[in-house]
Amino acid sequence: MAKTFYITTAIDYTNSAPHIGHAYEKVLADVIARYHRLKGEKVFFLTGVDQHGQKVQQSAAKAGVAPAEFVKGITEQFVDLWKKLDVQYDAWAATTDPLHKKCVQGILQRLFDEGQIYKDKQAGHYSVRQEQFLTDKERGPDGEFGPEWGDVEFREEENYYFRLSKHKEWLLTYIDNRKNAIIPDFRQTELRNAVGRLSGDLCISRPKSRLDWGIELPFDKDFVNYVWFDALTNYISFAGYDPKIDKYEDQPQGFRDRWPALQIIGKDILVPAHGIYWLIMLHAIGFPDDQMPQLLVHGWWNLSGAKMSKSAGNIVDPDALAEKYGADALRYYLMSAIVMGKDADFSEELLIVDFNSDLANALGNLMNRTLNMIHRFQNGTIKWIDVTTLPESQVRSHLQTWSEDELQAGARLYTNEFADFRPGNALSAPLARTLSCNALVEISAPWNLVKDKQQGKLLDAVLYHLAESLRIIAILISPVLPKAAHGIFDQLNWKMALSGKEERFSLKDAQWGGLPDGQVVGKPVPLFPRIETT
Ligand code: MSP
């Protein structure tokens, strides 16, 4: 069985509606997944929702409904949004799923039996409002706990702890020895420093008396599992991991074909959740070092430099944007207007400017004028011409370099950027080709060539070149702009039997000369109508 490219994202909390940050992460994963399918690889793309925990229980209580009912409503909003944004996942990880619950409990039981989980008593200051124990870090400059903590009382509570610190040295060595464990590099350094400061174990239970919306501990029914331990496990529970088998090599073949995953997460959940808890959890249940997942850590979308938050009321709603501008416009903006790993400021004006200049003016216009000329000058039929048989001319040399050197350089850039998980940069290959094709139209002026019988073959070659370039551009943009790519193929009348299906696109087809002599093309239909702002 061939190895599968396994990609996951963080699963989203169902305590409030999706926002632009959630949308960015899922689109990024979808684009990377589509690129791997384009390369002909088998892909397993998992995403889903994180349904348990205190935040969700509190939001449900505020809304006056049971948590199970509350999460159902929010989950629907996520599912609808992914559909609207063409995010095409292969499996859905909802942490209330009985299969997941069984896996979490199986792992907990094993760790408990092995002595990696123990019970202990904690005594200290407890915030009733925030429902958590406080440490000295939470004290203000005056040494007191601030009003945000509400009533603070002294409490004693028994809980279960996972022996995290026992694995600290292992984690340090693992990070030091594994290049690209975390991408980008500076995040790996950040994690290394955080692990260096690690002390103490991880409390993995909550007494049911204060939180009951969670997975019950299999060895003590008075407690539920801490939400992060539960949520992190989704990456293996939904991929076919069997908790009863402790040796990694004995895990079901289906699981091992998928694992290890490329995991896409935001910068806020690297330390401590994914970089420390998750890697140590995997190590503790027997995953070898070469089976640790790779963590791709993206930055945040802010608004005028400020963090988006519900309380500040500056949330950007991806659903409304997709409704207004279409999924492709939003996907294009999210991929092209941020540098992988860095933060970016969301700007609806820039979304419009980028769309109008790159898609409406450059690509849309190229498509439109190419098809129009083929219909006006050649009755809708393109003709293949051996360019080397044409007399020397400036246009001929452009045709040659653009179909050979530029195509190859573009393909190299495209695959290199995708290999480094930078789809935004990869897009510059099809965009450059679009611009050079528009330049070719100006240089060759087909409307003049058509008037001169002697130039008939050159005209054929130019129009073939434009249509064939568009076919290749469609393939290259398809991971980011699936709808537009189908639109281009449809109008070129190309692979119509697979219209609307992702299998229609393959990187292998991005080679010069695919369109046959005599191909009849369709009439132009606007792909990217300009967004007018006034
Ligand atoms: N439920 C946890 C993840 C559990 S994974 C086992 C969680 N949920 S979240 O809803 O708060 O965030 C989900 C993802 O969205 C995270 O990767 C987070 O970094 C990302 N983003 C949340 N706000 C964001 C922005 N403003 N910008 C970009 N991504 C952001 O954390």
Side-chain angles (χ1 to χ4, degrees):
M1 211 12 215
K3 198 84 193 146
T4 299
F5 178 78
Y6 178 23
I7 183 166
T8 70
T9 70
I11 50 174
D12 302 302
Y13 282 128
T14 45
N15 60 332
S16 56
H19 61 65
I20 197 76
H22 298 126
Y24 166 60
E25 182 174 280
K26 302 319 143 185
V27 170
L28 175 63
D30 183 63
V31 168
I32 295 175
R34 284 176 188 266
Y35 170 71
H36 283 270
R37 292 193 204 104
L38 192 68
K39 282 209 305 181
E41 293 171 32
K42 200 161 176 251
V43 171
F44 182 68
F45 170 18
L46 176 76
T47 193
V49 279
D50 186 356
Q51 296 176 297
H52 293 129
Q54 199 159 286
K55 284 195 218 168
V56 176
Q57 182 169 296
Q58 278 166 351
S59 301
K62 231 190 241 163
V65 292
E69 196 184 322
F70 183 78
V71 295
K72 218 171 134 207
I74 305 274
T75 298
E76 263 168 33
Q77 296 184 36
F78 278 103
V79 171
D80 291 349
L81 179 64
W82 305 151
K83 197 158 172 224
K84 194 178 249 181
L85 294 182
D86 294 315
V87 173
Q88 214 173 77
Y89 43 84
D90 300 294
W92 183 249
T95 53
T96 45
D97 191 316
L99 175 144
H100 169 74
K101 200 169 136 184
K102 230 175 111 192
C103 186
V104 170
Q105 289 179 327
I107 291 173
L108 284 166
Q109 187 66 55
R110 221 169 82 201
L111 290 172
F112 184 69
D113 293 344
E114 289 168 1
Q116 299 213 57
I117 288 176
Y118 63 94
K119 197 173 188 182
D120 202 4
K121 196 177 271 171
Q122 185 180 14
H125 295 284
Y126 182 85
S127 153
V128 180
R129 181 198 277 174
Q130 299 297 339
E131 300 193 35
Q132 71 177 76
F133 278 96
L134 303 176
T135 64
D136 285 343
K137 272 194 298 198
E138 275 88 40
R139 289 182 194 272
D142 57 356
E144 298 296 318
F145 296 111
E148 69 275 22
W149 301 108
D151 284 342
V152 174
E153 58 183 40
F154 191 80
R155 254 202 205 187
E156 257 190 4
E157 195 173 278
E158 281 204 301
N159 266 306
Y160 288 90
Y161 292 81
F162 169 49
R163 293 192 193 281
L164 202 67
S165 50
K166 183 178 121 187
H167 301 292
K168 174 176 170 174
E169 286 312 312
W170 165 77
L171 186 52
L172 286 173
T173 315
Y174 166 71
I175 296 171
D176 287 343
N177 292 341
R178 166 95 186 257
K179 203 177 170 298
N180 287 339
I182 321 291
I183 306 165
D185 267 358
F186 73 94
R187 295 283 176 209
Q188 184 147 340
T189 311
E190 178 189 316
L191 175 64
R192 174 73 175 72
N193 294 337
V195 180
R197 294 190 298 269
L198 176 68
S199 69
D201 289 337
L202 175 66
C203 179
I204 52 109
S205 67
R206 296 292 181 268
K208 273 197 189 161
S209 53
R210 67 177 165 100
L211 175 72
D212 62 3
W213 181 236
I215 297 178
E216 192 178 282
L217 297 189
F219 41 83
D220 193 335
K221 62 177 177 25
D222 291 335
F223 293 85
V224 296
N225 191 203
Y226 169 48
V227 67
W228 270 106
F229 195 99
D230 156 359
L232 288 163
T233 306
N234 92 86
Y235 302 127
I236 55 175
S237 65
F238 289 95
Y241 179 78
D242 185 343
K244 291 189 296 299
I245 302 172
D246 55 359
K247 266 221 198 95
Y248 180 83
E249 303 74 48
D250 297 338
Q251 280 295 322
Q253 190 64 43
F255 175 72
R256 285 189 299 127
D257 287 339
R258 284 176 185 153
W259 196 259
L262 171 74
Q263 301 196 206
I264 303 189
I265 56 170
K267 62 177 186 177
D268 57 317
I269 55 173
L270 172 64
V271 177
H274 286 79
I276 300 180
Y277 303 162
W278 179 227
L279 296 183
I280 289 184
M281 279 164 71
L282 288 170
H283 174 68
I285 59 173
F287 280 60
D289 289 8
D290 61 2
Q291 294 301 326
M292 287 295 143
Q294 204 175 20
L295 303 176
L296 176 62
V297 184
H298 63 74
W300 270 40
W301 285 92
N302 299 320
L303 206 58
S304 315
K307 193 174 158 175
M308 286 183 212
S309 80
K310 224 165 82 177
S311 51
N314 62 350
I315 297 280
V316 176
D317 175 11
D319 192 273
L321 288 167
E323 203 55 53
K324 211 161 148 191
Y325 305 116
D328 272 3
L330 183 57
R331 288 172 66 101
Y332 185 73
Y333 174 72
L334 289 176
M335 290 302 99
S336 55
I338 192 166
V339 176
M340 183 60 220
K342 299 269 170 65
D343 289 356
D345 241 0
F346 180 83
S347 153
E348 196 165 334
E349 288 80 54
L350 262 182
L351 183 157
I352 297 171
V353 168
D354 286 356
F355 177 91
N356 280 344
S357 79
D358 299 350
L359 301 181
N361 292 357
L363 184 52
N365 183 31
L366 176 66
M367 185 70 197
N368 188 50
R369 70 207 300 208
T370 299
L371 293 187
N372 267 328
M373 289 190 292
I374 296 172
H375 279 279
R376 271 178 41 221
F377 306 151
Q378 294 181 324
N379 282 325
T381 306
I382 48 176
K383 293 182 200 142
W384 184 84
I385 291 294
D386 180 357
V387 176
T388 57
T389 63
L390 295 172
E392 290 276 358
S393 72
Q394 194 202 4
V395 174
R396 184 192 119 156
S397 78
H398 276 304
L399 291 176
Q400 264 179 308
T401 46
W402 286 346
S403 57
E404 290 161 19
D405 305 346
E406 194 199 82
L407 190 70
Q408 272 177 27
R412 257 197 314 277
L413 178 137
Y414 185 79
T415 45
N416 287 344
E417 292 298 340
F418 260 115
D420 290 339
F421 311 111
R422 287 190 293 256
N425 293 8
L427 278 174
S428 59
L431 189 63
R433 175 140 280 262
T434 303
L435 298 178
S436 65
C437 282
N438 275 322
L440 174 67
V441 175
E442 301 308 322
I443 295 166
S444 63
W447 45 89
N448 290 334
L449 297 179
V450 74
K451 293 181 199 146
D452 181 352
K453 274 228 160 61
Q454 306 249 318
Q455 303 281 22
K457 285 214 152 111
L458 189 59
L459 175 66
D460 292 345
V462 167
L463 295 181
Y464 181 89
H465 185 99
L466 299 176
E468 176 62 358
S469 291
L470 280 161
R471 187 187 66 83
I472 292 173
I473 288 166
I475 296 170
L476 301 184
I477 62 169
S478 67
V480 178
L481 302 168
K483 278 202 185 84
H486 277 296
I488 295 176
F489 265 29
D490 285 346
Q491 292 181 43
L492 290 173
N493 233 332
W494 183 241
K495 288 205 179 181
M496 292 310 281
L498 291 172
S499 188
K501 300 212 172 82
E502 201 184 347
E503 306 89 87
R504 199 180 199 189
F505 305 110
S506 159
L507 205 52
K508 279 203 210 92
D509 292 341
Q511 302 236 356
W512 195 257
L515 284 176
D517 184 34
Q519 174 79 6
V520 177
V521 299
K523 288 264 164 61
V525 181
L527 280 176
F528 307 106
R530 248 188 96 78
I531 302 172
E532 303 298 344
T533 46
T534 47

